[in-house]
Amino acid sequence: MSQNHYQLLGVSATATAQEIKLAYKQLAIRFHPDKHGGSTQFEDQFKAISAAYRILSDPARRAAYDHQLRAAVLRAEEARRQQQFRAQGQHVYGVPMPPAAPLRTRRPAGSTERHYQKMAARRPRFTRRDYLLTAGLFLLLLLFIVSVKVTMDHVSAVSNYENGLRAYAERKWSTAHGFFSEAIAFKPSYRQALRRRAEIEQLVYQNYKAARTDYQLALRQDNPPAEAALLLYRLGQCQANLAQKTSAQQSLTRALALDSTLSGAWLARGELRLFDLLQFQAAADDFSVGLRQRAAAGKKPVLKYVTYRGLAFYKLRDFSAARQDYREVLLQDPKNGQVHFLLGRLAQQEGNTAAACEFFRRAVQLGYLYAGEALSQSCP
């Protein structure tokens, strides 16, 4: 059988151009006719090597040659298959076919000849990659579960909050409180639900301790300045009712630092300073600012705070300013027995006993019981 060009050069069919060139140089030196005295045998060998190198060193010619080799292999394989399946008596070019080669297989063994061996169980071996893939899948599953839970909790919290708002608008306090509590159970950081539930606890149930806790939780969230000021104002009111004077003043001061137009915070801080902290001048200033802001907003003054400001002026012995506030209250509420009593005290301080007794009598007639004792002591 003649050799192909690859076999002549002693390289494989997948050899690189550099390998082919190196093989050719080695063979050319080895079979060059000049090294063998011009021998015809080596000259033919050298020509065959040179022809093989010319074809294989050119990529296009090599590709065509490789195609020819593959086609020749396919033709030979097809001829071999046809020869194997040719009938026994058939002759090829007048030559009888050789006998068929014996098969190298046997019939399958019967059930009586078969026997089975128990194979030892192989323990699965996890590689580092297997562990990483398992951990990654577990992490993805955990993230999916958490994301679904967070989404469902958020949807449930919003639904309960909206139901609570409708009940809140209808003044169904118990129903609204229940819905807000459900919303907070699904989403503990739901600041709107915390604020609304705290308002019900504070203003309806007078449960100042529970309201204080909800206000504090709501303040831990990200609140706009105006809303944070309102929460601090409400928190200060709860702390004042729980006798936490210093904390209440701090909360109200922080509320006013965030929103200086919050008139309710000015009035609440003035009341705290007047009755609990005994800071009369600061209280009078707070009442003045709060009442002025209400007037600028087109709201009526709260007579209670006008009375408190008059009392603060009285404590500062500014009797003229105190009398002006008391009279302002009487102009709008002539039957206010408390203000008549305060005017009597004011007259006492000024040494006008007759006027004081007259105010005390009017206060008693209007049902202000504390004026009775003052009347019996000062006006025999």
Side-chain angles (χ1 to χ4, degrees), residues 202-226:
Q202 176 192 0
L203 304 175
V204 180
Y205 299 151
Q206 281 82 47
N207 186 353
Y208 300 113
K209 189 174 182 180
R212 178 191 63 184
T213 301
D214 282 348
Y215 284 135
Q216 289 173 338
L217 290 174
L219 283 167
R220 293 178 186 173
Q221 314 309 318
D222 188 14
N223 296 285

mmCIF file with all atom_site columns, all heavy atoms in Angstrom, residues 202-226:
data_model
loop_
_atom_site.group_PDB
_atom_site.id
_atom_site.type_symbol
_atom_site.label_atom_id
_atom_site.label_alt_id
_atom_site.label_comp_id
_atom_site.label_asym_id
_atom_site.label_entity_id
_atom_site.label_seq_id
_atom_site.pdbx_PDB_ins_code
_atom_site.Cartn_x
_atom_site.Cartn_y
_atom_site.Cartn_z
_atom_site.occupancy
_atom_site.B_iso_or_equiv
_atom_site.pdbx_formal_charge
_atom_site.auth_seq_id
_atom_site.auth_comp_id
_atom_site.auth_asym_id
_atom_site.auth_atom_id
_atom_site.pdbx_PDB_model_num
ATOM 1   N N   . GLN A 1 202 ? -54.376 58.026 72.317 1.00 0.00 ? 202 GLN A N   1
ATOM 2   C CA  . GLN A 1 202 ? -54.209 59.272 73.071 1.00 0.00 ? 202 GLN A CA  1
ATOM 3   C C   . GLN A 1 202 ? -55.518 60.038 73.223 1.00 0.00 ? 202 GLN A C   1
ATOM 4   O O   . GLN A 1 202 ? -55.904 60.414 74.347 1.00 0.00 ? 202 GLN A O   1
ATOM 5   C CB  . GLN A 1 202 ? -53.176 60.162 72.372 1.00 0.00 ? 202 GLN A CB  1
ATOM 6   C CG  . GLN A 1 202 ? -53.002 61.530 73.022 1.00 0.00 ? 202 GLN A CG  1
ATOM 7   C CD  . GLN A 1 202 ? -52.211 62.483 72.164 1.00 0.00 ? 202 GLN A CD  1
ATOM 8   O OE1 . GLN A 1 202 ? -51.774 62.131 71.065 1.00 0.00 ? 202 GLN A OE1 1
ATOM 9   N NE2 . GLN A 1 202 ? -52.002 63.689 72.653 1.00 0.00 ? 202 GLN A NE2 1
ATOM 10  N N   . LEU A 1 203 ? -56.197 60.290 72.125 1.00 0.00 ? 203 LEU A N   1
ATOM 11  C CA  . LEU A 1 203 ? -57.326 61.210 72.131 1.00 0.00 ? 203 LEU A CA  1
ATOM 12  C C   . LEU A 1 203 ? -58.648 60.552 72.489 1.00 0.00 ? 203 LEU A C   1
ATOM 13  O O   . LEU A 1 203 ? -59.569 61.241 72.937 1.00 0.00 ? 203 LEU A O   1
ATOM 14  C CB  . LEU A 1 203 ? -57.435 61.883 70.756 1.00 0.00 ? 203 LEU A CB  1
ATOM 15  C CG  . LEU A 1 203 ? -56.169 62.613 70.285 1.00 0.00 ? 203 LEU A CG  1
ATOM 16  C CD1 . LEU A 1 203 ? -56.354 63.139 68.878 1.00 0.00 ? 203 LEU A CD1 1
ATOM 17  C CD2 . LEU A 1 203 ? -55.803 63.745 71.237 1.00 0.00 ? 203 LEU A CD2 1
ATOM 18  N N   . VAL A 1 204 ? -58.764 59.233 72.259 1.00 0.00 ? 204 VAL A N   1
ATOM 19  C CA  . VAL A 1 204 ? -60.030 58.552 72.525 1.00 0.00 ? 204 VAL A CA  1
ATOM 20  C C   . VAL A 1 204 ? -59.961 57.731 73.807 1.00 0.00 ? 204 VAL A C   1
ATOM 21  O O   . VAL A 1 204 ? -60.794 57.868 74.697 1.00 0.00 ? 204 VAL A O   1
ATOM 22  C CB  . VAL A 1 204 ? -60.422 57.658 71.327 1.00 0.00 ? 204 VAL A CB  1
ATOM 23  C CG1 . VAL A 1 204 ? -61.740 56.934 71.600 1.00 0.00 ? 204 VAL A CG1 1
ATOM 24  C CG2 . VAL A 1 204 ? -60.539 58.479 70.054 1.00 0.00 ? 204 VAL A CG2 1
ATOM 25  N N   . TYR A 1 205 ? -58.915 56.878 73.913 1.00 0.00 ? 205 TYR A N   1
ATOM 26  C CA  . TYR A 1 205 ? -58.830 55.986 75.068 1.00 0.00 ? 205 TYR A CA  1
ATOM 27  C C   . TYR A 1 205 ? -58.028 56.581 76.225 1.00 0.00 ? 205 TYR A C   1
ATOM 28  O O   . TYR A 1 205 ? -58.025 56.008 77.316 1.00 0.00 ? 205 TYR A O   1
ATOM 29  C CB  . TYR A 1 205 ? -58.195 54.658 74.654 1.00 0.00 ? 205 TYR A CB  1
ATOM 30  C CG  . TYR A 1 205 ? -58.962 53.897 73.594 1.00 0.00 ? 205 TYR A CG  1
ATOM 31  C CD1 . TYR A 1 205 ? -58.311 53.045 72.707 1.00 0.00 ? 205 TYR A CD1 1
ATOM 32  C CD2 . TYR A 1 205 ? -60.351 54.023 73.478 1.00 0.00 ? 205 TYR A CD2 1
ATOM 33  C CE1 . TYR A 1 205 ? -59.017 52.338 71.745 1.00 0.00 ? 205 TYR A CE1 1
ATOM 34  C CE2 . TYR A 1 205 ? -61.055 53.336 72.514 1.00 0.00 ? 205 TYR A CE2 1
ATOM 35  C CZ  . TYR A 1 205 ? -60.384 52.494 71.653 1.00 0.00 ? 205 TYR A CZ  1
ATOM 36  O OH  . TYR A 1 205 ? -61.072 51.799 70.698 1.00 0.00 ? 205 TYR A OH  1
ATOM 37  N N   . GLN A 1 206 ? -57.330 57.698 76.002 1.00 0.00 ? 206 GLN A N   1
ATOM 38  C CA  . GLN A 1 206 ? -56.447 58.307 77.009 1.00 0.00 ? 206 GLN A CA  1
ATOM 39  C C   . GLN A 1 206 ? -55.411 57.318 77.547 1.00 0.00 ? 206 GLN A C   1
ATOM 40  O O   . GLN A 1 206 ? -55.007 57.374 78.697 1.00 0.00 ? 206 GLN A O   1
ATOM 41  C CB  . GLN A 1 206 ? -57.249 58.887 78.183 1.00 0.00 ? 206 GLN A CB  1
ATOM 42  C CG  . GLN A 1 206 ? -57.881 60.233 77.899 1.00 0.00 ? 206 GLN A CG  1
ATOM 43  C CD  . GLN A 1 206 ? -59.178 60.112 77.141 1.00 0.00 ? 206 GLN A CD  1
ATOM 44  O OE1 . GLN A 1 206 ? -60.027 59.307 77.506 1.00 0.00 ? 206 GLN A OE1 1
ATOM 45  N NE2 . GLN A 1 206 ? -59.349 60.909 76.103 1.00 0.00 ? 206 GLN A NE2 1
ATOM 46  N N   . ASN A 1 207 ? -54.998 56.403 76.689 1.00 0.00 ? 207 ASN A N   1
ATOM 47  C CA  . ASN A 1 207 ? -53.942 55.449 77.059 1.00 0.00 ? 207 ASN A CA  1
ATOM 48  C C   . ASN A 1 207 ? -52.611 56.052 76.601 1.00 0.00 ? 207 ASN A C   1
ATOM 49  O O   . ASN A 1 207 ? -52.068 55.720 75.553 1.00 0.00 ? 207 ASN A O   1
ATOM 50  C CB  . ASN A 1 207 ? -54.190 54.097 76.398 1.00 0.00 ? 207 ASN A CB  1
ATOM 51  C CG  . ASN A 1 207 ? -53.222 53.028 76.862 1.00 0.00 ? 207 ASN A CG  1
ATOM 52  O OD1 . ASN A 1 207 ? -52.261 53.304 77.592 1.00 0.00 ? 207 ASN A OD1 1
ATOM 53  N ND2 . ASN A 1 207 ? -53.456 51.793 76.457 1.00 0.00 ? 207 ASN A ND2 1
ATOM 54  N N   . TYR A 1 208 ? -52.097 56.986 77.409 1.00 0.00 ? 208 TYR A N   1
ATOM 55  C CA  . TYR A 1 208 ? -50.951 57.783 76.982 1.00 0.00 ? 208 TYR A CA  1
ATOM 56  C C   . TYR A 1 208 ? -49.676 56.948 76.871 1.00 0.00 ? 208 TYR A C   1
ATOM 57  O O   . TYR A 1 208 ? -48.808 57.244 76.051 1.00 0.00 ? 208 TYR A O   1
ATOM 58  C CB  . TYR A 1 208 ? -50.743 58.939 77.955 1.00 0.00 ? 208 TYR A CB  1
ATOM 59  C CG  . TYR A 1 208 ? -51.939 59.850 78.046 1.00 0.00 ? 208 TYR A CG  1
ATOM 60  C CD1 . TYR A 1 208 ? -52.694 59.927 79.219 1.00 0.00 ? 208 TYR A CD1 1
ATOM 61  C CD2 . TYR A 1 208 ? -52.339 60.606 76.958 1.00 0.00 ? 208 TYR A CD2 1
ATOM 62  C CE1 . TYR A 1 208 ? -53.806 60.757 79.293 1.00 0.00 ? 208 TYR A CE1 1
ATOM 63  C CE2 . TYR A 1 208 ? -53.445 61.433 77.028 1.00 0.00 ? 208 TYR A CE2 1
ATOM 64  C CZ  . TYR A 1 208 ? -54.190 61.505 78.200 1.00 0.00 ? 208 TYR A CZ  1
ATOM 65  O OH  . TYR A 1 208 ? -55.283 62.313 78.272 1.00 0.00 ? 208 TYR A OH  1
ATOM 66  N N   . LYS A 1 209 ? -49.562 55.915 77.680 1.00 0.00 ? 209 LYS A N   1
ATOM 67  C CA  . LYS A 1 209 ? -48.359 55.078 77.618 1.00 0.00 ? 209 LYS A CA  1
ATOM 68  C C   . LYS A 1 209 ? -48.269 54.326 76.287 1.00 0.00 ? 209 LYS A C   1
ATOM 69  O O   . LYS A 1 209 ? -47.222 54.298 75.640 1.00 0.00 ? 209 LYS A O   1
ATOM 70  C CB  . LYS A 1 209 ? -48.355 54.097 78.785 1.00 0.00 ? 209 LYS A CB  1
ATOM 71  C CG  . LYS A 1 209 ? -47.063 53.327 78.935 1.00 0.00 ? 209 LYS A CG  1
ATOM 72  C CD  . LYS A 1 209 ? -47.077 52.475 80.197 1.00 0.00 ? 209 LYS A CD  1
ATOM 73  C CE  . LYS A 1 209 ? -45.750 51.736 80.359 1.00 0.00 ? 209 LYS A CE  1
ATOM 74  N NZ  . LYS A 1 209 ? -45.746 50.899 81.598 1.00 0.00 ? 209 LYS A NZ  1
ATOM 75  N N   . ALA A 1 210 ? -49.387 53.712 75.866 1.00 0.00 ? 210 ALA A N   1
ATOM 76  C CA  . ALA A 1 210 ? -49.402 53.005 74.575 1.00 0.00 ? 210 ALA A CA  1
ATOM 77  C C   . ALA A 1 210 ? -49.214 53.978 73.424 1.00 0.00 ? 210 ALA A C   1
ATOM 78  O O   . ALA A 1 210 ? -48.506 53.690 72.448 1.00 0.00 ? 210 ALA A O   1
ATOM 79  C CB  . ALA A 1 210 ? -50.706 52.229 74.417 1.00 0.00 ? 210 ALA A CB  1
ATOM 80  N N   . ALA A 1 211 ? -49.855 55.153 73.534 1.00 0.00 ? 211 ALA A N   1
ATOM 81  C CA  . ALA A 1 211 ? -49.701 56.156 72.477 1.00 0.00 ? 211 ALA A CA  1
ATOM 82  C C   . ALA A 1 211 ? -48.257 56.620 72.383 1.00 0.00 ? 211 ALA A C   1
ATOM 83  O O   . ALA A 1 211 ? -47.713 56.798 71.278 1.00 0.00 ? 211 ALA A O   1
ATOM 84  C CB  . ALA A 1 211 ? -50.624 57.335 72.751 1.00 0.00 ? 211 ALA A CB  1
ATOM 85  N N   . ARG A 1 212 ? -47.613 56.828 73.520 1.00 0.00 ? 212 ARG A N   1
ATOM 86  C CA  . ARG A 1 212 ? -46.211 57.257 73.512 1.00 0.00 ? 212 ARG A CA  1
ATOM 87  C C   . ARG A 1 212 ? -45.329 56.234 72.794 1.00 0.00 ? 212 ARG A C   1
ATOM 88  O O   . ARG A 1 212 ? -44.458 56.591 71.989 1.00 0.00 ? 212 ARG A O   1
ATOM 89  C CB  . ARG A 1 212 ? -45.730 57.435 74.956 1.00 0.00 ? 212 ARG A CB  1
ATOM 90  C CG  . ARG A 1 212 ? -44.257 57.839 75.074 1.00 0.00 ? 212 ARG A CG  1
ATOM 91  C CD  . ARG A 1 212 ? -43.787 57.734 76.513 1.00 0.00 ? 212 ARG A CD  1
ATOM 92  N NE  . ARG A 1 212 ? -43.873 56.354 76.975 1.00 0.00 ? 212 ARG A NE  1
ATOM 93  C CZ  . ARG A 1 212 ? -43.604 55.977 78.227 1.00 0.00 ? 212 ARG A CZ  1
ATOM 94  N NH1 . ARG A 1 212 ? -43.259 56.880 79.138 1.00 0.00 ? 212 ARG A NH1 1
ATOM 95  N NH2 . ARG A 1 212 ? -43.703 54.701 78.582 1.00 0.00 ? 212 ARG A NH2 1
ATOM 96  N N   . THR A 1 213 ? -45.561 54.944 73.059 1.00 0.00 ? 213 THR A N   1
ATOM 97  C CA  . THR A 1 213 ? -44.764 53.895 72.405 1.00 0.00 ? 213 THR A CA  1
ATOM 98  C C   . THR A 1 213 ? -44.944 53.939 70.891 1.00 0.00 ? 213 THR A C   1
ATOM 99  O O   . THR A 1 213 ? -43.961 53.846 70.133 1.00 0.00 ? 213 THR A O   1
ATOM 100 C CB  . THR A 1 213 ? -45.179 52.520 72.941 1.00 0.00 ? 213 THR A CB  1
ATOM 101 O OG1 . THR A 1 213 ? -44.985 52.487 74.363 1.00 0.00 ? 213 THR A OG1 1
ATOM 102 C CG2 . THR A 1 213 ? -44.358 51.410 72.295 1.00 0.00 ? 213 THR A CG2 1
ATOM 103 N N   . ASP A 1 214 ? -46.184 54.085 70.415 1.00 0.00 ? 214 ASP A N   1
ATOM 104 C CA  . ASP A 1 214 ? -46.424 54.133 68.964 1.00 0.00 ? 214 ASP A CA  1
ATOM 105 C C   . ASP A 1 214 ? -45.811 55.374 68.334 1.00 0.00 ? 214 ASP A C   1
ATOM 106 O O   . ASP A 1 214 ? -45.237 55.314 67.232 1.00 0.00 ? 214 ASP A O   1
ATOM 107 C CB  . ASP A 1 214 ? -47.921 54.093 68.682 1.00 0.00 ? 214 ASP A CB  1
ATOM 108 C CG  . ASP A 1 214 ? -48.500 52.689 68.816 1.00 0.00 ? 214 ASP A CG  1
ATOM 109 O OD1 . ASP A 1 214 ? -47.709 51.738 68.896 1.00 0.00 ? 214 ASP A OD1 1
ATOM 110 O OD2 . ASP A 1 214 ? -49.736 52.561 68.844 1.00 0.00 ? 214 ASP A OD2 1
ATOM 111 N N   . TYR A 1 215 ? -45.897 56.508 68.994 1.00 0.00 ? 215 TYR A N   1
ATOM 112 C CA  . TYR A 1 215 ? -45.290 57.733 68.455 1.00 0.00 ? 215 TYR A CA  1
ATOM 113 C C   . TYR A 1 215 ? -43.767 57.580 68.346 1.00 0.00 ? 215 TYR A C   1
ATOM 114 O O   . TYR A 1 215 ? -43.146 58.002 67.366 1.00 0.00 ? 215 TYR A O   1
ATOM 115 C CB  . TYR A 1 215 ? -45.630 58.926 69.341 1.00 0.00 ? 215 TYR A CB  1
ATOM 116 C CG  . TYR A 1 215 ? -47.036 59.442 69.187 1.00 0.00 ? 215 TYR A CG  1
ATOM 117 C CD1 . TYR A 1 215 ? -47.806 59.751 70.305 1.00 0.00 ? 215 TYR A CD1 1
ATOM 118 C CD2 . TYR A 1 215 ? -47.603 59.630 67.930 1.00 0.00 ? 215 TYR A CD2 1
ATOM 119 C CE1 . TYR A 1 215 ? -49.105 60.231 70.179 1.00 0.00 ? 215 TYR A CE1 1
ATOM 120 C CE2 . TYR A 1 215 ? -48.897 60.098 67.789 1.00 0.00 ? 215 TYR A CE2 1
ATOM 121 C CZ  . TYR A 1 215 ? -49.641 60.393 68.915 1.00 0.00 ? 215 TYR A CZ  1
ATOM 122 O OH  . TYR A 1 215 ? -50.920 60.872 68.783 1.00 0.00 ? 215 TYR A OH  1
ATOM 123 N N   . GLN A 1 216 ? -43.166 56.965 69.342 1.00 0.00 ? 216 GLN A N   1
ATOM 124 C CA  . GLN A 1 216 ? -41.712 56.778 69.323 1.00 0.00 ? 216 GLN A CA  1
ATOM 125 C C   . GLN A 1 216 ? -41.298 55.839 68.194 1.00 0.00 ? 216 GLN A C   1
ATOM 126 O O   . GLN A 1 216 ? -40.283 56.066 67.530 1.00 0.00 ? 216 GLN A O   1
ATOM 127 C CB  . GLN A 1 216 ? -41.233 56.243 70.674 1.00 0.00 ? 216 GLN A CB  1
ATOM 128 C CG  . GLN A 1 216 ? -41.299 57.281 71.794 1.00 0.00 ? 216 GLN A CG  1
ATOM 129 C CD  . GLN A 1 216 ? -40.997 56.689 73.150 1.00 0.00 ? 216 GLN A CD  1
ATOM 130 O OE1 . GLN A 1 216 ? -41.128 55.484 73.377 1.00 0.00 ? 216 GLN A OE1 1
ATOM 131 N NE2 . GLN A 1 216 ? -40.597 57.544 74.097 1.00 0.00 ? 216 GLN A NE2 1
ATOM 132 N N   . LEU A 1 217 ? -42.086 54.771 67.973 1.00 0.00 ? 217 LEU A N   1
ATOM 133 C CA  . LEU A 1 217 ? -41.779 53.854 66.863 1.00 0.00 ? 217 LEU A CA  1
ATOM 134 C C   . LEU A 1 217 ? -41.946 54.558 65.515 1.00 0.00 ? 217 LEU A C   1
ATOM 135 O O   . LEU A 1 217 ? -41.149 54.345 64.596 1.00 0.00 ? 217 LEU A O   1
ATOM 136 C CB  . LEU A 1 217 ? -42.698 52.633 66.932 1.00 0.00 ? 217 LEU A CB  1
ATOM 137 C CG  . LEU A 1 217 ? -42.434 51.657 68.082 1.00 0.00 ? 217 LEU A CG  1
ATOM 138 C CD1 . LEU A 1 217 ? -43.501 50.573 68.112 1.00 0.00 ? 217 LEU A CD1 1
ATOM 139 C CD2 . LEU A 1 217 ? -41.057 51.017 67.937 1.00 0.00 ? 217 LEU A CD2 1
ATOM 140 N N   . ALA A 1 218 ? -42.976 55.379 65.395 1.00 0.00 ? 218 ALA A N   1
ATOM 141 C CA  . ALA A 1 218 ? -43.191 56.101 64.133 1.00 0.00 ? 218 ALA A CA  1
ATOM 142 C C   . ALA A 1 218 ? -42.060 57.091 63.871 1.00 0.00 ? 218 ALA A C   1
ATOM 143 O O   . ALA A 1 218 ? -41.654 57.296 62.719 1.00 0.00 ? 218 ALA A O   1
ATOM 144 C CB  . ALA A 1 218 ? -44.538 56.820 64.175 1.00 0.00 ? 218 ALA A CB  1
ATOM 145 N N   . LEU A 1 219 ? -41.518 57.698 64.933 1.00 0.00 ? 219 LEU A N   1
ATOM 146 C CA  . LEU A 1 219 ? -40.440 58.671 64.753 1.00 0.00 ? 219 LEU A CA  1
ATOM 147 C C   . LEU A 1 219 ? -39.135 58.021 64.326 1.00 0.00 ? 219 LEU A C   1
ATOM 148 O O   . LEU A 1 219 ? -38.243 58.697 63.826 1.00 0.00 ? 219 LEU A O   1
ATOM 149 C CB  . LEU A 1 219 ? -40.231 59.444 66.063 1.00 0.00 ? 219 LEU A CB  1
ATOM 150 C CG  . LEU A 1 219 ? -41.263 60.535 66.349 1.00 0.00 ? 219 LEU A CG  1
ATOM 151 C CD1 . LEU A 1 219 ? -41.165 61.008 67.785 1.00 0.00 ? 219 LEU A CD1 1
ATOM 152 C CD2 . LEU A 1 219 ? -41.073 61.700 65.379 1.00 0.00 ? 219 LEU A CD2 1
ATOM 153 N N   . ARG A 1 220 ? -39.004 56.718 64.522 1.00 0.00 ? 220 ARG A N   1
ATOM 154 C CA  . ARG A 1 220 ? -37.787 56.026 64.080 1.00 0.00 ? 220 ARG A CA  1
ATOM 155 C C   . ARG A 1 220 ? -37.754 55.824 62.569 1.00 0.00 ? 220 ARG A C   1
ATOM 156 O O   . ARG A 1 220 ? -36.716 55.465 62.012 1.00 0.00 ? 220 ARG A O   1
ATOM 157 C CB  . ARG A 1 220 ? -37.682 54.665 64.772 1.00 0.00 ? 220 ARG A CB  1
ATOM 158 C CG  . ARG A 1 220 ? -37.448 54.761 66.272 1.00 0.00 ? 220 ARG A CG  1
ATOM 159 C CD  . ARG A 1 220 ? -37.412 53.382 66.894 1.00 0.00 ? 220 ARG A CD  1
ATOM 160 N NE  . ARG A 1 220 ? -37.337 53.454 68.351 1.00 0.00 ? 220 ARG A NE  1
ATOM 161 C CZ  . ARG A 1 220 ? -37.433 52.399 69.158 1.00 0.00 ? 220 ARG A CZ  1
ATOM 162 N NH1 . ARG A 1 220 ? -37.608 51.185 68.630 1.00 0.00 ? 220 ARG A NH1 1
ATOM 163 N NH2 . ARG A 1 220 ? -37.359 52.539 70.460 1.00 0.00 ? 220 ARG A NH2 1
ATOM 164 N N   . GLN A 1 221 ? -38.891 56.008 61.911 1.00 0.00 ? 221 GLN A N   1
ATOM 165 C CA  . GLN A 1 221 ? -38.951 55.834 60.460 1.00 0.00 ? 221 GLN A CA  1
ATOM 166 C C   . GLN A 1 221 ? -38.548 57.143 59.777 1.00 0.00 ? 221 GLN A C   1
ATOM 167 O O   . GLN A 1 221 ? -38.305 58.160 60.418 1.00 0.00 ? 221 GLN A O   1
ATOM 168 C CB  . GLN A 1 221 ? -40.359 55.405 60.041 1.00 0.00 ? 221 GLN A CB  1
ATOM 169 C CG  . GLN A 1 221 ? -40.961 54.293 60.877 1.00 0.00 ? 221 GLN A CG  1
ATOM 170 C CD  . GLN A 1 221 ? -40.056 53.086 61.019 1.00 0.00 ? 221 GLN A CD  1
ATOM 171 O OE1 . GLN A 1 221 ? -39.420 52.668 60.048 1.00 0.00 ? 221 GLN A OE1 1
ATOM 172 N NE2 . GLN A 1 221 ? -39.977 52.521 62.221 1.00 0.00 ? 221 GLN A NE2 1
ATOM 173 N N   . ASP A 1 222 ? -38.489 57.081 58.466 1.00 0.00 ? 222 ASP A N   1
ATOM 174 C CA  . ASP A 1 222 ? -38.115 58.254 57.664 1.00 0.00 ? 222 ASP A CA  1
ATOM 175 C C   . ASP A 1 222 ? -39.345 59.121 57.445 1.00 0.00 ? 222 ASP A C   1
ATOM 176 O O   . ASP A 1 222 ? -40.202 58.807 56.610 1.00 0.00 ? 222 ASP A O   1
ATOM 177 C CB  . ASP A 1 222 ? -37.528 57.789 56.323 1.00 0.00 ? 222 ASP A CB  1
ATOM 178 C CG  . ASP A 1 222 ? -36.948 58.946 55.534 1.00 0.00 ? 222 ASP A CG  1
ATOM 179 O OD1 . ASP A 1 222 ? -36.774 60.026 56.127 1.00 0.00 ? 222 ASP A OD1 1
ATOM 180 O OD2 . ASP A 1 222 ? -36.688 58.761 54.326 1.00 0.00 ? 222 ASP A OD2 1
ATOM 181 N N   . ASN A 1 223 ? -39.459 60.203 58.216 1.00 0.00 ? 223 ASN A N   1
ATOM 182 C CA  . ASN A 1 223 ? -40.636 61.071 58.161 1.00 0.00 ? 223 ASN A CA  1
ATOM 183 C C   . ASN A 1 223 ? -40.277 62.418 57.537 1.00 0.00 ? 223 ASN A C   1
ATOM 184 O O   . ASN A 1 223 ? -39.200 62.950 57.786 1.00 0.00 ? 223 ASN A O   1
ATOM 185 C CB  . ASN A 1 223 ? -41.180 61.321 59.572 1.00 0.00 ? 223 ASN A CB  1
ATOM 186 C CG  . ASN A 1 223 ? -41.682 60.051 60.237 1.00 0.00 ? 223 ASN A CG  1
ATOM 187 O OD1 . ASN A 1 223 ? -42.736 59.553 59.898 1.00 0.00 ? 223 ASN A OD1 1
ATOM 188 N ND2 . ASN A 1 223 ? -40.910 59.512 61.170 1.00 0.00 ? 223 ASN A ND2 1
ATOM 189 N N   . PRO A 1 224 ? -41.194 63.006 56.769 1.00 0.00 ? 224 PRO A N   1
ATOM 190 C CA  . PRO A 1 224 ? -40.993 64.397 56.323 1.00 0.00 ? 224 PRO A CA  1
ATOM 191 C C   . PRO A 1 224 ? -40.954 65.318 57.538 1.00 0.00 ? 224 PRO A C   1
ATOM 192 O O   . PRO A 1 224 ? -41.530 65.000 58.591 1.00 0.00 ? 224 PRO A O   1
ATOM 193 C CB  . PRO A 1 224 ? -42.225 64.656 55.447 1.00 0.00 ? 224 PRO A CB  1
ATOM 194 C CG  . PRO A 1 224 ? -42.762 63.307 55.094 1.00 0.00 ? 224 PRO A CG  1
ATOM 195 C CD  . PRO A 1 224 ? -42.422 62.408 56.226 1.00 0.00 ? 224 PRO A CD  1
ATOM 196 N N   . PRO A 1 225 ? -40.291 66.469 57.427 1.00 0.00 ? 225 PRO A N   1
ATOM 197 C CA  . PRO A 1 225 ? -40.170 67.360 58.599 1.00 0.00 ? 225 PRO A CA  1
ATOM 198 C C   . PRO A 1 225 ? -41.503 67.739 59.223 1.00 0.00 ? 225 PRO A C   1
ATOM 199 O O   . PRO A 1 225 ? -41.642 67.735 60.446 1.00 0.00 ? 225 PRO A O   1
ATOM 200 C CB  . PRO A 1 225 ? -39.442 68.572 58.014 1.00 0.00 ? 225 PRO A CB  1
ATOM 201 C CG  . PRO A 1 225 ? -38.679 68.046 56.847 1.00 0.00 ? 225 PRO A CG  1
ATOM 202 C CD  . PRO A 1 225 ? -39.522 66.963 56.270 1.00 0.00 ? 225 PRO A CD  1
ATOM 203 N N   . ALA A 1 226 ? -42.498 68.086 58.400 1.00 0.00 ? 226 ALA A N   1
ATOM 204 C CA  . ALA A 1 226 ? -43.784 68.501 58.956 1.00 0.00 ? 226 ALA A CA  1
ATOM 205 C C   . ALA A 1 226 ? -44.450 67.370 59.724 1.00 0.00 ? 226 ALA A C   1
ATOM 206 O O   . ALA A 1 226 ? -45.022 67.579 60.810 1.00 0.00 ? 226 ALA A O   1
ATOM 207 C CB  . ALA A 1 226 ? -44.702 68.990 57.833 1.00 0.00 ? 226 ALA A CB  1
#
